[in-house]
């Protein structure tokens, strides 16, 4: 007969074997996928400029997720190794094409654009400062025969050639200097000669912080100088342990109108104009939650886990609480109200929210987010929440009201 001591020893041995099995079969990557971490790999400039530090904290507060950022030009190597959930880079980054053709990522989504700058001496002999037309700026440099140093780094050189062609191919004798230099070396040569030069705005501003030179960012506000970046969610079939849902949530946050407006408003210290430009509008309306390109707008849909307490997204929901509802196609436009009493329908969209048959007061509606108040007269327990846009109705989500 087996004694109690023997039974306890057998149980402990079984637990130890089970634990060892978990340690062998449950890799660190899989463990991370079970946490609330979203691993974002990104090229240097969004991190170094401070943009991500400006916009990511709100995402973390809204979702309870934590974003772990790695920045570097080798981001797609890390992604291939399974060390990423979401990647952000220039659309033309050397790693994008092979990553996508190898079937490793979901469809890229445009998120924002950084820009090149025509920089020059503070005296600005060609008078290009604050022009909104880079072609006109380049034409003035050529016509005034002001010195211009070529930056033979790929995109700045391509941009220069485009501007030269658009300016009518002005003769280069007497003002144009090509020393075969790239990036910092080209900018240093321009500083020595009091010349103009083209480079990325973020690295140029960092260069100014480290070098006492008489160069200034003079012309930046032309779309021809911008360069779009895209986000790529890891394909779950290729990376089954990636936090794909967390990556999708971050991607959706980045392309919402409110985040895009913050991207446009972001300023680099000492620079009084936009450093980044919103690019989400270059995605399809369906990807933005604004319906398809043709045909009727699809019905609204509340996302999984898409109803949260607006004051504390990890807290429960009580009668009278303000909630945020996340989903798609929930409104035809965006508007808010700033006066009491809050209406049950806003003027920009035929959108209503019902909670167990009662219309909820609305503070804000957009295609992807609604802020509403749970009717205070409701009792505790389960209630059903539905978004109604005109004649179209969403799925119903059950929420438990507590104290």
């Amino acid at each position: 007969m087996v004694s109690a001591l023997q039974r306890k020893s057998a149980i402990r041995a079984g637990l130890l074997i089970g634990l060892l099995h978990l340690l062998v079969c449950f890799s660190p990557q899989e463990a991370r996928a079970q946490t609330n971490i979203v691993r974002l790999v990104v090229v240097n400039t969004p991190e170094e400029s401070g943009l991500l530090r400006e916009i990511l904290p709100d995402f973390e507060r809204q979702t309870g997720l934590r974003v772990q950022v790695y920045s570097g030009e080798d981001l797609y190597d890390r992604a291939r190794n399974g060390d990423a959930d979401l990647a952000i880079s220039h659309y033309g980054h050397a790693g994008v094409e092979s990553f996508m053709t190898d079937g490793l990522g979901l469809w890229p989504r445009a998120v924002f654009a950084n820009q090149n700058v025509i920089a020059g001496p503070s005296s600005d002999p060609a008078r290009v400062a604050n022009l909104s037309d880079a072609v006109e700026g380049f034409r003035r440099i050529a016509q005034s025969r002001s010195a211009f140093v070529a930056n033979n780094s790929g995109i700045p050189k391509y941009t220069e050639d485009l501007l030269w062609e658009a300016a009518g191919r002005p003769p280069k004798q007497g003002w144009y200097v090509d020393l075969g230099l790239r990036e910092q070396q080209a900018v240093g040569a321009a500083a020595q000669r009091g010349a103009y030069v083209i480079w990325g705005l973020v690295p140029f501003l960092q260069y100014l912080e480290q070098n006492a030179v008489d160069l200034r960012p003079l012309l930046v506000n032309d779309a021809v100088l911008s360069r779009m970046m895209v986000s790529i969610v890891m394909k779950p079939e290729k990376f089954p342990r990636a936090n794909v849902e967390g990556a999708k949530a971050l991607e959706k946050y980045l392309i919402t109108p409110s985040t895009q407006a913050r991207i446009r408003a972001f300023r680099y210290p000492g620079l009084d104009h936009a450093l980044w430009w919103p690019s989400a509008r270059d995605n399809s309306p369906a990807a933005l939650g604004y319906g398809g390109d043709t045909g009727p707008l699809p019905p609204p849909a509340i996302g999984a886990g898409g109803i949260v307490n607006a004051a504390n997204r990890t807290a429960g929901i009580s009668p009278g609480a303000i909630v945020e509802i996340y989903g798609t196609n929930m409104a035809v436009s965006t508007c808010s109200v700033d006066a009491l009493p809050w209406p049950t329908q806003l003027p920009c969209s035929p959108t209503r929210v019902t909670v167990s048959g009662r219309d909820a007061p609305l503070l804000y509606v957009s295609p992807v987010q609604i802020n509403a108040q749970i009717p205070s007269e409701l009792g505790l327990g389960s209630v059903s929440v539905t978004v109604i846009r005109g004649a179209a109705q969403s799925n119903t989500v059950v929420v438990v009201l507590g104290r």
Side-chain angles (χ1 to χ4, degrees):
M1 191 167 179
V2 178
S3 68
L5 181 60
Q6 288 173 320
R7 284 196 300 270
K8 289 181 180 178
S9 298
I11 291 171
R12 283 197 296 267
L15 289 173
L16 180 58
I17 292 170
L19 179 60
L20 290 173
H21 176 76
L22 286 174
L23 291 174
V24 170
C25 299
F26 199 64
S27 70
Q29 184 182 355
E30 185 171 358
R32 282 194 301 269
Q34 308 305 314
T35 71
N36 66 341
I37 294 174
V38 179
R39 296 165 300 163
L40 171 63
V41 294
V42 61
V43 290
N44 291 320
T45 48
E47 172 69 5
E48 292 178 352
S49 69
L51 176 67
L52 296 183
R53 293 189 293 277
E54 173 70 20
I55 62 177
L56 289 183
D58 273 355
F59 169 77
E60 294 178 328
R61 284 191 291 269
Q62 290 176 18
T63 63
L65 298 170
R66 184 166 67 87
V67 183
Q68 188 179 81
V69 179
Y70 170 84
S71 63
E73 290 301 313
D74 62 341
L75 73 159
Y76 286 106
D77 293 335
R78 294 180 69 90
R80 286 176 178 273
N81 290 334
D83 293 326
D85 304 311
L86 183 70
I88 296 179
S89 74
H90 295 98
Y91 179 71
H93 188 283
V96 170
E97 186 171 347
S98 61
F99 194 81
M100 294 305 300
T101 54
D102 289 345
L104 301 178
L106 301 182
W107 188 261
R109 303 294 184 196
V111 285
F112 41 67
N114 68 343
Q115 54 189 341
N116 288 314
V117 58
I118 297 180
S122 56
S123 60
D124 188 21
R127 300 293 183 263
V128 305
N130 300 319
L131 289 177
S132 58
D133 185 344
V135 174
E136 174 60 23
F138 196 84
R139 183 182 292 115
R140 290 188 185 187
I141 293 170
Q143 289 176 345
S144 64
R145 299 176 69 80
S146 301
F148 179 94
V149 172
N151 178 355
N152 286 277
S153 182
I155 299 303
K157 180 59 178 173
Y158 176 88
T159 303
E160 173 207 306
D161 288 346
L162 186 159
L163 297 178
W164 180 72
E165 292 282 354
R169 297 187 172 187
K172 294 182 177 180
Q173 291 79 12
W175 61 278
Y176 181 84
V177 180
D178 188 349
L179 302 172
L181 302 176
R182 298 164 55 93
E183 300 183 345
Q184 293 96 330
Q185 289 75 23
V187 175
Q192 292 172 1
R193 291 166 172 77
Y196 294 90
V197 66
I198 297 174
W199 199 23
L201 180 54
V202 171
F204 175 72
L205 293 172
Q206 293 173 329
Y207 180 89
L208 291 185
E209 292 174 354
Q210 300 167 8
N211 298 273
V213 296
D214 181 26
L215 289 177
R216 299 291 180 268
L218 298 175
L219 198 162
V220 296
N221 293 320
D222 189 333
V224 76
L225 298 173
S226 66
R227 193 173 177 214
M228 182 174 68
M229 293 193 184
V230 296
S231 61
I232 299 175
V233 176
M234 302 301 106
K235 186 172 283 188
E237 305 94 293
K238 299 293 186 178
F239 303 99
R241 297 179 181 88
N243 186 355
V244 173
E245 292 307 312
K248 287 182 177 179
L250 177 53
E251 184 177 67
K252 182 178 290 186
Y253 168 80
L254 291 173
I255 66 177
T256 58
S258 58
T259 306
Q260 292 282 292
R262 291 184 63 188
I263 289 168
R264 186 181 186 278
F266 175 76
R267 293 293 183 269
Y268 193 88
L271 189 69
D272 192 27
H273 50 69
L275 186 67
W276 295 90
W277 293 99
S279 294
R281 66 189 182 279
D282 292 323
N283 296 299
S284 70
L288 296 172
Y290 281 65
D293 293 308
T294 59
L297 192 67
I302 302 174
I307 303 178
V308 296
N309 188 316
N312 182 347
R313 291 165 183 82
T314 61
I317 298 173
S318 59
I322 307 299
V323 295
E324 294 175 347
I325 304 171
Y326 294 95
T328 57
N329 305 312
M330 296 192 295
V332 297
S333 189
T334 300
C335 61
S336 61
V337 64
D338 55 7
L340 293 171
W342 295 324
T344 56
Q345 185 172 320
L346 300 186
C348 67
S349 180
T351 297
R352 296 184 296 117
V353 174
T354 64
V355 183
S356 290
R358 291 178 171 83
D359 282 344
L362 302 180
L363 293 74
Y364 171 85
V365 300
S366 78
V368 294
Q369 179 181 340
I370 295 174
N371 287 16
Q373 183 183 33
I374 299 295
S376 57
E377 65 271 19
L378 290 172
L380 305 182
S382 297
V383 295
S384 56
V385 180
T386 307
V387 174
I388 301 171
R389 191 199 67 237
Q393 182 170 310
S394 76
N395 53 314
T396 296
V397 174
V398 174
V399 174
V400 179
L401 301 183
R403 294 188 185 279

